[in-house]
Amino acid sequence: MPKMKTKSSVKKRFSLTASGKVRRNVANKRHLLTAKPTKMKRQARGTEILCDADARIVKKFLPYG
């Protein structure tokens, strides 16, 4: 049986925690930042944990994650 392939886009955008949860970056932090409130930019720092429904979808594309 050949190895399963990992989706390249998924391995660039998501990472797994030690407990198996899926971590993602927060959106709206790339450009046009002058028009966005400071609170929004501050809360967009760091990463977030995906909800269980979305994590199930992402884990299908990370077979060895």
Side-chain angles (χ1 to χ4, degrees):
M1 190 74 187
K3 291 181 181 178
M4 294 174 68
K5 287 199 170 186
T6 299
K7 284 276 186 186
S8 292
S9 59
V10 173
K11 73 182 172 190
K12 291 170 192 169
R13 287 174 172 83
F14 301 98
S15 61
L16 294 178
T17 63
S19 60
K21 294 179 181 174
V22 182
R23 184 182 290 137
R24 72 171 181 90
N25 291 318
V26 185
N28 302 317
K29 197 65 199 296
R30 293 292 180 206
H31 58 95
L32 302 175
L33 294 172
T34 52
K36 293 170 184 162
T38 307
K39 181 179 179 181
M40 183 178 183
K41 291 185 276 191
R42 186 175 61 246
Q43 289 177 342
R45 286 182 202 146
T47 56
E48 287 183 348
I49 302 294
L50 278 184
C51 67
D52 293 336
D54 292 334
R56 247 179 263 126
I57 296 167
V58 171
K59 283 185 179 180
K60 286 180 186 173
F61 300 124
L62 292 170
Y64 301 108

